[in-house]
Amino acid sequence: MDQRAISDYGFLSDCRSGALVGRNGSIDWWCPDRFDSPSVFGRLLDPHAGHWRLAPVAVGLPGHRVERAYRRDTLVLRTVHHAPEGSVAVTDALAAEIGARGHQLGMNSPAVLLRVVEGLSGRVRMGLDFRPRPDHGLLTPYLHDQPDGSVRAVAGAVELTLRADGLPLHAERDRVRQEFEVSAGQVIGFDLAYGRTYGDPPVRLDPTTALAETMWAWEALREVHRYEGRHAELVRHSATVLTGLTYARSGAVAAALTTSLPERIGGDRNYDYRYSWLRDFAMTMRALWVAACPDEASRLFAWVARSIGRVGDDPVPVLFGLEGERDISEHEVPHLRGFLDSRPVRFGNDAWRQRQLDVPGEVISAVWQLRDYLGGSFGEELREMTLGLTEQVAGTWRLPDRGMWETRDADRHYLSSKVLCWSAMSRAVELAPRLGERADPRRWAAIRDEIRAAVLREGWNEEIGAFTGAFGSRELDASVLYLPVVNFLPATDPRMRSTIAVLERELGTEEGLLRRWNTDPAGFLLCSFWLVECLVLAGERRRAEELFERVVTHANDVGLFSEQVDLATGAQLGNTPQALSHIGLINAAWRLTDPTTE
């Protein structure tokens, strides 16, 4: 079973979909229609669910060595294979539309995988193994040799065409498997184009020309990503990853590229993250504002306003599909074995049905962050959304909920949810002059103060010396680090200082990682970056800097973070690349830079 570690994968994107390519040269995940569509390569979740390997035949043998890196400020990945007989480079990308630049990237992506092989020294024997399995491995396509030397694969609604420059390809029933040699200076380009069986045929691109165009399209974003603070290279790379997780047609940011990568190997907390969470919204907005530009942030904001629509009595869904779809019901997929046999594999995510009271607060906080950019008075949709969310919080904040970690057991009065309810009312009071005659800042302020008093009274545990995860609970939860981040309580407050110390002692590790709670077997990267922010806000900038530098070492060799890190092995866990981990890095780096926190 040739299944790689999560950290072995590099991320390719055309801002429509994404692919994962392993150090061994195998593309093991690609959902070509859009991020949350069915895969044509799914070996990530099952060894028989499809892949496309392109690498020296010596991969994995003694004497073979791999180096890889992204071309700067792009998601174009160059992998150099050093084999006993010579060296060869394979450059992988998802093609941009010809002529696309900057924010046009992804608007009309052609859904073409590009792989360009370049001989560097000696004469290297390469192996190609193309085995598509559409519809998450359920379909075995017919493969047909074409007169031009390409191979056409058709199954169900999917049509794929694989071509190579000057290298005729031949199908063996349900796969293409052949070897060829590459000499120093020789270049062979491959393109794999996706199309719909009953729609437009796959696009034909010249691989080397399309690769150059794709690099130019990514590099054009450098002009608008102008962050110049601390850890600039890391921040720019994380901003590029966030751009790669953005579905360009709507502006929505997918929480991750993948589904069902486990929080624990062999465990069942395996969820589909290929959607956009409103909870992530304020943090995403802040990160895009810091590391990108207002245009990207405002496009995401427009998507949220349209997706939420007119607010009624029903809770606002926690997450949406990439074009604002509301019903993304979850189902299990028994035919897939799961990553390292971690079952079940799930498509869809039933968290959209949960009541999570922090969500309106995240959205209103984002409106508040963008208040000056949005103008002195809001348009009807923005005004109605903000008023509706505020009134929803006013009427529901006393209820229990499932919390930001989306527990699937009982509702509780989670502290972080109450704090975000406070944030919603606090920001709404400040926004009231822009919300028209229906704004009621006096009543909102009274509710704000009532929530604050409840949090301070019910959330603090004197015996433990810390704020705990839920009212009346003794269980620690790293989500309480959000209190200083949203300005509920200064990090210098004695109760907050004590909380930080307790969390570091009970949930922290020598590697700089922070678990979410006592029974969590893995370090949660976002929480670790929250701790960096809290230390800065508490005046411990040197310790914060040291912690930041330890946490970022848990990225893989091409700077990608998944969701968590196994404390026993150091292995990455959870869906990847994880937007919140990269958002946490950006926001922590800015906190280390921001002179107002001195």
Side-chain angles (χ1 to χ4, degrees), residues 216-378:
W216 293 333
W218 280 104
E219 289 167 354
L221 287 169
R222 188 184 307 162
E223 300 303 316
V224 296
H225 292 182
R226 296 183 179 276
Y227 176 85
E228 296 179 354
R230 294 188 62 77
H231 306 287
E233 287 294 325
L234 292 173
V235 168
R236 283 199 294 269
H237 181 56
S238 285
T240 301
V241 172
L242 286 183
T243 300
L245 288 170
T246 300
Y247 182 69
R249 294 176 183 176
S250 67
V253 178
L257 179 66
T258 57
T259 177
S260 301
L261 293 187
E263 295 182 11
R264 180 177 61 83
I265 299 300
D268 62 358
R269 289 181 57 84
N270 317 319
Y271 301 118
D272 193 346
Y273 279 12
R274 298 173 299 159
Y275 309 105
S276 194
W277 266 252
L278 293 187
R279 170 178 303 102
D280 305 352
F281 184 56
M283 287 182 283
T284 305
M285 293 288 288
R286 181 173 158 219
L288 291 175
W289 196 269
V290 166
C293 71
D295 288 343
E296 291 184 46
S298 59
R299 287 180 63 245
L300 176 58
F301 194 85
W303 170 83
V304 167
R306 295 188 188 107
S307 298
I308 291 176
R310 192 174 293 277
V311 179
D313 294 333
D314 294 333
V316 173
V318 177
L319 63 153
F320 291 91
L322 300 175
E323 293 183 1
E325 299 90 347
R326 184 166 288 215
D327 184 347
I328 47 176
S329 297
E330 180 179 302
H331 63 283
E332 297 181 2
V333 188
H335 76 273
L336 294 176
R337 290 172 54 177
F339 183 85
L340 296 180
D341 293 320
S342 300
R343 295 184 179 93
V345 172
R346 295 181 172 98
F347 298 143
N349 196 308
D350 273 347
W352 76 275
R353 305 176 189 273
Q354 293 183 354
R355 178 170 64 234
Q356 297 181 20
L357 296 177
D358 61 315
V359 169
E362 296 283 10
V363 177
I364 296 171
S365 293
V367 176
W368 179 82
Q369 285 180 10
L370 277 178
R371 61 195 183 281
D372 294 333
Y373 185 75
L374 294 168
S377 60
F378 293 164

